[in-house]
Amino acid sequence: MKEKSTSLFFSDIVGYSSLFSSNEKLALNLLEEHDIIAERHIAKYKGKIIKRIGDAIFAEFSSAKNNYYASINIQKELIKRNKILSNENKIEVRIGLHYGNVYENNGDLFGNNVNICSRLESIAFPTSIACSQEFIVELQDLKIYNREYGFIALKNIKKPIKVFKIYNDQKHYLSENKNIILDFISNRSIILLDNDNIEKEFIPIGFLYPKNLGDIYTIDKSADNDFLSIEINKQLIDFANKISIIRTPSFETMIDYKDKDLQEIALELSLEYLLQSTIMRDDDSFKIYFTLFSINSAENIYDKKFEGKFHDMKNIIGSLLIDLSDLLNFKISPEQIKIFNAELNVNNDAYRLYLEGKNLSQINSSPDSLEKSKLKLKQSINIDDQFAEAYAALGMTYIHLGENDEADECFDEAEDIIEDCENLDTLSIVYNDLGIYNRVQGKIKKSIRNFEKSLKSIKKLNDQVKLGNIYTNIAAAYSIINENELALNLSSRAELIFKELDEKIRLGSLYGTMGNINKNIGKLEEAIKYYNLAKKIFLSEDMIAKYAQVLIIQAECYYTINNIKNALQNLNEVKQIADDFNMPMLNSRYSLLMAMINFNNKKYNEALDFIDESIDIFDEINNKIKLASSQLLKIRILLKVNKLKKATKIYKKVERLIERLDDNKLSEDLEQISKLINI
């Protein structure tokens, strides 16, 4: 492998993935035209294309000067072309430029400087160029127009990089000022530092989604085996997050990259190492083969086989991380080693059923999956009735099914079991689930106590990701009881953690929570801003369900401030997503808000149609609070169209429901309606 200094180039078409998903033919035509333009200028200035990654181009030049001229001319030609075309036919490109040492092997380039250049491209303005100070220094004899971003903490890059924006010409330069750059940095959640003295000590490792070869004897690759790959990947990332020197992408991110080329993954995520794994299993045990691939040396530097029972999974992952600490020369504290080596005193079959059941139960799982989850978790508890995590997981499944009485019993059992528990992982998981459950039930003070107990365990575990999550959960609880200063303070702590770790998805969820906090205190314009930040992240990560959830809450804010145009714009997107992805909860909330808008516009027949749709869906998915809220609105609509008898009949029905729910807001609304119909 040869080491050399070179000038690096990365480019990427803005919004290409989104365009490709909506209009594949147009996207391919634009990509072909883009490639012709980019290739011509790269060739003219003696550059060499190393590889193409989708719509991105990675190239090198023998000099920074040639790299600069090629990049400027690509942007100028594209801008000139775009002036005479419609928006959908425009091609906008970001370019990142850097200069430094790289390793060359079989025509490819590797090393930290390749990752830096890739990251620079990601923070460039559309139709513009971002470059490093190292690149600028190489252009000292040229007259170039540039403006400094400042020192930027790039994803998984240890030392902050001094970044500059290069302008296409003097006119372009004079049209902007530093505030435009600062606004861009703020809106993109880019971390700006005071100086370059903060050199971070961390090792960026990606834990690839394990390949599952299925049953050892039958080689069954059915989806029933997928729970094992999911759980191993989640636990690998969870344990790695307890080691402060390791930086690893989230489970959700790694899922998106499970079928991609290793070099492509490393470039896009700025990783130095990739851990691959292959699993085989039988009825009560599994074998797993780990290999660690070094991006810099382009070779495997570790391979080892482990095997054990399902309940040995955490010990196996702990042993792997201890091996990696020796190989990569980082320390694991005695407390963490104790956690990694702790025995899981749970029956093996019970643990397998728990893993299967837990992975079938998510907030957007189908009713069929939730019923299967319920069955497996019940079987797990029947085998081991002291398994607290299984009770908590079953409780969460009952919540998703709307079976709150059964959820109550499960969480009571879980809380009783962990009273004498010393396992920090178990305590953090169960108390967090209890906190979520009690928050949903409106028992906010109890919810906060649960979260604080989880927080106590998480601090001992030194798990920064979980710490950010628990701060977010406590903040959401405090906001409900109008302790808004505390809520915002905790949210700010979580934001610092997620920005430091570059946890974009969790940052998106946090911005959603911060939007909710501001919504609760009536700062609706501020709430809308945070929802916009959350939407950008979820859309960029292709998390359509999360994106749609934020859309509907933001639409409620627009409705409240009487910005019906924006509310309807959001709702049109929500409806399309809900139909495309079969999301009944989203459809029901859409119908409820459309009923409210039509009611306020005195379009009572349309309002009745929408409210009936929402009532049917809320009833079907057993969401009793939303069902009661929808029925109260229906009574108001019926009174407007002089259908008192029907309104009274629904009133008596919903009165019984609200008595059982014991919800203060619903009770207040019911009392107001009782005055309207003289009951």
Side-chain angles (χ1 to χ4, degrees), residues 205-359:
I205 305 177
F207 297 100
L208 298 180
Y209 188 80
K211 292 179 181 176
N212 196 327
L213 298 184
D215 189 280
I216 290 172
Y217 303 109
T218 65
I219 314 299
D220 172 18
K221 297 183 182 180
S222 69
D224 288 343
N225 282 312
D226 214 35
F227 81 91
L228 193 56
S229 295
I230 291 169
E231 196 59 33
I232 286 173
N233 203 223
K234 282 183 175 179
Q235 290 197 19
L236 267 169
I237 292 167
D238 184 45
F239 269 35
N241 283 329
K242 294 175 174 62
I243 303 170
S244 58
I245 199 168
I246 292 179
R247 288 287 185 275
T248 182
S250 68
F251 169 77
E252 293 83 2
T253 299
M254 295 314 300
I255 281 284
D256 290 339
Y257 284 86
K258 69 177 183 177
D259 297 320
K260 292 194 176 183
D261 171 76
L262 294 184
Q263 294 293 350
E264 184 179 348
I265 297 169
L267 277 175
E268 291 192 17
L269 300 179
S270 298
L271 300 169
E272 291 183 15
Y273 302 97
L274 288 167
L275 187 83
Q276 303 170 85
S277 52
T278 304
I279 305 168
M280 296 180 75
R281 61 160 286 198
D282 60 21
D283 287 340
D284 67 347
S285 64
F286 69 99
K287 295 179 181 179
I288 185 161
Y289 301 81
F290 289 113
T291 56
L292 186 68
F293 181 76
S294 167
I295 302 302
N296 287 339
S297 65
E299 62 184 3
N300 290 329
I301 59 172
Y302 172 89
D303 62 87
K304 191 170 181 178
K305 179 185 83 173
F306 294 87
E307 56 185 297
K309 304 285 187 182
F310 293 109
H311 63 190
D312 297 325
M313 188 183 295
K314 290 186 178 182
N315 297 131
I316 288 172
I317 291 167
S319 297
L320 166 73
L321 290 171
I322 291 168
D323 281 357
L324 295 187
S325 72
D326 292 335
L327 178 70
L328 303 178
N329 196 28
F330 63 84
K331 290 183 179 180
I332 300 177
S333 71
E335 292 81 8
Q336 288 165 336
I337 290 174
K338 185 179 177 182
I339 292 165
F340 293 165
N341 291 333
E343 284 190 26
L344 188 65
N345 295 316
V346 175
N347 177 279
N348 188 55
D349 288 335
Y351 192 68
R352 174 181 57 79
L353 287 162
Y354 159 72
L355 296 180
E356 291 176 351
K358 186 178 68 163
N359 283 295

Side-chain angles (χ1 to χ4, degrees), residues 541-606:
E541 297 294 322
D542 202 29
M543 298 182 71
I544 302 303
K546 289 273 191 183
Y547 174 72
Q549 287 166 7
V550 177
L551 274 175
I552 194 81
I553 301 170
Q554 190 182 49
E556 291 168 359
C557 290
Y558 283 131
Y559 167 77
T560 305
I561 62 175
N562 205 31
N563 187 340
I564 304 303
K565 180 182 176 183
N566 281 3
L568 289 171
Q569 187 175 320
N570 275 31
L571 287 169
N572 287 337
E573 272 197 86
V574 167
K575 180 61 176 169
Q576 185 175 342
I577 293 168
D579 289 343
D580 289 348
F581 292 89
N582 188 25
M583 299 169 71
M585 182 63 175
L586 204 60
N587 252 324
S588 58
R589 292 184 69 176
Y590 162 83
S591 296
L592 176 57
L593 194 49
M594 286 298 294
M596 292 163 68
I597 290 171
N598 280 284
F599 176 71
N600 282 351
N601 289 337
K602 299 181 180 179
K603 296 180 178 179
Y604 300 125
N605 289 331
E606 290 90 338

Side-chain angles (χ1 to χ4, degrees), residues 133-156:
Q133 184 173 26
E134 289 80 357
F135 184 84
I136 287 283
V137 167
E138 295 293 314
L139 302 178
Q140 285 181 346
D141 58 338
L142 290 183
K143 173 67 174 175
I144 61 170
Y145 294 96
N146 68 87
R147 187 170 277 118
E148 184 183 318
Y149 279 54
F151 287 101
I152 301 295
L154 297 174
K155 180 177 180 178
N156 287 339

Side-chain angles (χ1 to χ4, degrees), residues 467-525:
L467 187 62
N469 286 339
I470 204 72
Y471 282 150
T472 304
N473 285 340
I474 302 173
Y478 273 124
S479 73
I480 294 170
I481 56 173
N482 294 318
E483 293 281 358
N484 297 303
E485 288 299 321
L486 271 172
L488 290 170
N489 180 277
L490 288 161
S491 298
S492 297
R493 290 193 215 175
E495 185 179 17
L496 286 173
I497 291 170
F498 293 147
K499 280 186 173 180
E500 168 69 19
L501 299 177
D502 201 25
E503 287 281 346
K504 280 184 70 178
I505 293 171
R506 288 182 170 86
L507 196 57
S509 296
L510 174 66
Y511 286 142
T513 297
M514 293 174 84
N516 293 341
I517 292 168
N518 281 283
K519 182 171 179 269
N520 289 343
I521 60 178
K523 293 184 176 180
L524 297 183
E525 296 289 353

